[in-house]
Amino acid sequence: MTDYVDAEHIREFIDSGSLEVLDASVSRKLEAWLQENFPLRDWSTIIDWDRLRSTTLQWNQVTDEEAVLWAMNTALGRLPYGVLLYDPDQPSVAGQMEFMIRNLDSLVWKAPGCRILFGAQRNDVGEWEFGNGVLEFNGKGELFATTDS
């Protein structure tokens, strides 16, 4: 299987400097962090949103601008960066939060199924730190996001 980050439309974002590729070891750490900090389930979505303070957006019925406004008013929007987890065994991508939301449709294109965007920041030594701000795309036109951090 080819890594999602090798897709031509993702490479264009990487080559322009809008996205940074994070090694699969970061993806595995994200997967472990997700399992430790969120209630999960095996159907419909990865995260059990019924057990969290959250909000939902019918993403397929709004403009990119409306999606950015919605997301920036969730716990995710309190962090400067977004890290998109494609799969625990593949590289993830990171970028400025607003860029990640505005381009989420392109970022998940050709990566079927549920995908999770984590709010992130870099610490003083440049390592990624993740907060409780997460957004999940369910693969069917809906976005779910935590509302408290």
Side-chain angles (χ1 to χ4, degrees), residues 4-142:
Y4 292 117
V5 298
D6 292 332
E8 185 177 338
H9 65 288
I10 301 297
R11 295 284 350 149
E12 289 174 9
F13 287 140
I14 294 165
D15 293 345
S16 73
S18 298
L19 285 181
E20 178 182 342
V21 177
L22 305 181
D23 186 82
S25 64
V26 174
S27 300
R28 286 187 289 278
K29 288 178 186 174
L30 271 174
E31 177 77 2
W33 188 86
L34 180 68
Q35 291 174 357
E36 290 172 17
N37 293 285
F38 291 91
L40 305 179
R41 61 180 171 197
D42 323 355
W43 51 275
S44 164
T45 59
I46 296 169
I47 296 172
D48 186 350
W49 293 99
D50 294 335
R51 296 175 52 199
L52 295 172
R53 290 184 53 188
S54 63
T55 182
T56 305
L57 178 71
Q58 295 301 315
W59 187 31
N60 55 357
Q61 297 176 10
V62 300
T63 66
D64 287 345
E65 202 56 46
E66 290 169 322
V68 168
L69 182 62
W70 172 82
M72 296 307 276
N73 284 300
T74 68
L76 187 78
R78 296 185 195 124
L79 293 161
Y81 297 99
V83 176
L84 182 63
L85 174 65
Y86 287 108
D87 185 276
D89 296 320
Q90 290 201 22
S92 293
V93 291
Q96 293 286 329
M97 183 61 73
E98 186 172 333
F99 174 86
M100 298 299 283
I101 301 299
R102 186 173 306 285
N103 294 284
L104 190 59
D105 55 345
S106 295
L107 295 171
V108 299
W109 181 50
K110 295 190 178 185
C114 298
R115 298 290 166 228
I116 298 179
L117 181 66
F118 295 84
Q121 60 189 8
R122 289 188 185 264
N123 65 19
D124 294 339
V125 294
E127 296 169 337
W128 289 102
E129 294 179 341
F130 304 98
N132 288 337
V134 295
L135 177 149
E136 182 174 2
F137 168 58
N138 70 352
K140 299 175 185 150
E142 290 179 300

